[in-house]
Amino acid sequence: MESKRSDRLFLLIVTLFWFSQYIFVPFLSPHLAALGVTASLSGVILGAYGFSQLVLRIPVSVSEDCIGRHKLFMVGGLTALVLGSSLPLLSSSPVVYLFSRTLAGVSASTWVSYTVGFTGGRSDVKKRMGQLIAANNLGVMLSYILGGMLYEALGMKTLYAVSALVAASALALLPLCKVKNAEKPHAFHIREVVEVVKNRRLLLVSLMGALMQLIVFATAQSFVSNYAKELGVSGVGISLIAIAFNASGVAASTLFSRGLFSRMSERAFWAMGFGVLALYCLMLPVCNGLVLIILAQLLGGVGRTLLYTHQMAVCSADVPPESKTTAMGVYQSIYSLGMTFGPMLMGRFIDATGSYHTSFLLIGAFALAGVAWSWLTGDQKEL
C-alpha cells in the first residue's frame, strides 16, 4: 500500500515537472516572431533546449551510476527549472530566452533520474514505462490547457511565473517521495562507459530516437504554432493544437502499457510509428484551419508516443544492471541531437524557401526515410 502511495506521488511529481517545462512552449515560437526574431534565430533558441541535453545527459547518467542517488539529481534539475523559468520575467532579450531554454534543457537532462528511479530493477518495466510516459504527457497536456487561457488573458510572462511556481511545488514535494536508488553504485571507469556506448542495439534505438525527435521538434514542438498563427488561429486555438498532440499521446502510451501491440514485430511497429509521423507531416501543408491542424496533431501524437515509449522501454535491455542509468543517458543524449537540430533545420528551411508547406514536406521526407530504415534494421521478434 505504501509502495503504491509512493508511486502515485512520484507520478504526480513527474506530471508537475513536465507541466512546468511546457506551459509556455506552444507560444514561444510565435512570441519570438512577434519580438522580431527570425526563424533561423528562433530555431537556435529552441534548439538550445536539446543542445544542453546533448552535452549533459551522458555525464549526468554516468554520475548517477557512480553516486547511485537519483533524488539528488532530481533536486538539481527542478532547481535549474525554477531558475530558467524565472529569467524571462526579468527581460525579453533573445539572449535571455536562449539562457532560459538552456537551463530548461539542463533540467530535462535529469529525466534519466525519473525513468531509472521508477523502472530500475522492476519486472514490469514496460508497464511502468507506459505509466511514466502517460504522466509525462498528462503534465504537458494540462500545461497547454491552462497555458492557453492564461496566455490570452495575461500574456507570456504569466506563463513563465506559473512555470517557476509549479517547479518549486514539485521540489517541495520531492522529500516526501521514496525514490529507488541506482543498483550497485560504483567508481567511475571509462572502460564501462565505452562498452555501453559500443552496444549496437542501444545505438540503433538511440539513433531512431534522434530521428523521431528531429521530426517532432521541427514541427509539433516549434513551428506548427507559427504556422497556425499565420492562419489566424488565436492563443486558445494554439493551445488546443498542442493539447491534441499530447492527448493522443496519453491514449497511445496507455494502450502500449496494456500490451495492445505486443503481437507486432519490432520492425513493423517502428515502421508504423514513422509512417504515422510521415502522414502527419504530409497532412500539415493542406491544413488551412484550426480543425484540420488538430486532426493532424492527433495523428502525430500517436506516432511520436508509440516510438518513444517503446524506445525508452528497450534501450537499456541489453546492458548490465549497474550500467542501465548510463545506457538510458546515452539514449537520451543521442536523441537530443534531433531536439537540437530539428528546430534549427526547420528554421533554415522556412527562411530559405519562404514556405511552411515546403518545409513540412521536407521534414516528412525524414519520416519516410525512418520507415525504410525501420524495416531494414528492426528485429522481427514480437514486442
Side-chain angles (χ1 to χ4, degrees), residues 125-127 129-130 250-262 269 305-311 313-314 383:
V125 172
K126 289 188 178 181
K127 178 181 177 181
M129 190 61 73
V250 171
S253 59
T254 301
L255 293 174
F256 181 89
S257 68
R258 294 180 179 179
L260 181 67
F261 305 97
S262 60
F269 183 83
T305 302
L306 289 179
L307 288 171
Y308 183 50
T309 306
H310 181 258
Q311 289 167 0
V314 304
L383 296 181

Side-chain angles (χ1 to χ4, degrees), residues 151 272 376:
Y151 180 72
M272 178 186 69
L376 291 171

Side-chain angles (χ1 to χ4, degrees), residues 73-86:
F73 291 87
M74 292 165 69
V75 168
L78 286 167
T79 302
L81 185 53
V82 172
L83 293 174
S85 296
S86 300

Side-chain angles (χ1 to χ4, degrees), residues 282-305:
L282 296 176
M283 279 182 64
L284 285 171
V286 301
C287 294
N288 58 4
L290 178 60
V291 173
L292 288 177
I293 296 177
I294 286 175
L295 291 175
Q297 291 287 94
L298 289 170
L299 187 65
V302 169
R304 179 260 184 185
T305 302

Side-chain angles (χ1 to χ4, degrees), residues 68-187:
R69 297 178 61 191
H70 297 304
K71 188 178 286 189
L72 179 65
F73 291 87
M74 292 165 69
V75 168
L78 286 167
T79 302
L81 185 53
V82 172
L83 293 174
S85 296
S86 300
L87 282 178
L89 300 176
L90 307 175
S91 170
S92 295
S93 163
V95 174
V96 168
Y97 283 106
L98 180 66
F99 278 114
S100 174
R101 295 309 291 151
T102 300
L103 281 172
V106 170
S107 174
S109 297
T110 63
W111 177 228
V112 65
S113 310
Y114 295 84
T115 55
V116 180
F118 192 66
T119 65
R122 310 283 186 167
S123 58
D124 54 346
V125 172
K126 289 188 178 181
K127 178 181 177 181
R128 293 178 74 85
M129 190 61 73
Q131 292 173 336
L132 200 65
I133 301 303
N136 174 335
N137 280 317
L138 179 62
V140 176
M141 185 174 65
L142 291 175
S143 77
Y144 291 161
I145 294 171
L146 183 61
M149 295 185 290
L150 291 177
Y151 180 72
E152 285 288 300
L154 301 171
M156 193 70 172
K157 286 188 182 296
T158 300
L159 301 187
Y160 276 104
V162 172
S163 173
L165 181 62
V166 171
S169 300
L171 190 58
L173 288 173
L174 195 55
L176 305 176
C177 181
K178 290 185 178 180
V179 179
K180 182 178 175 61
N181 288 327
E183 297 183 26
K184 301 179 182 178
H186 57 283

Side-chain angles (χ1 to χ4, degrees), residues 204-225:
L204 173 62
V205 173
S206 300
L207 290 170
M208 287 281 186
L211 180 58
M212 177 270 292
Q213 295 285 28
L214 183 147
I215 296 160
V216 170
F217 273 76
T219 54
Q221 299 293 356
S222 57
F223 288 99
V224 166
S225 297

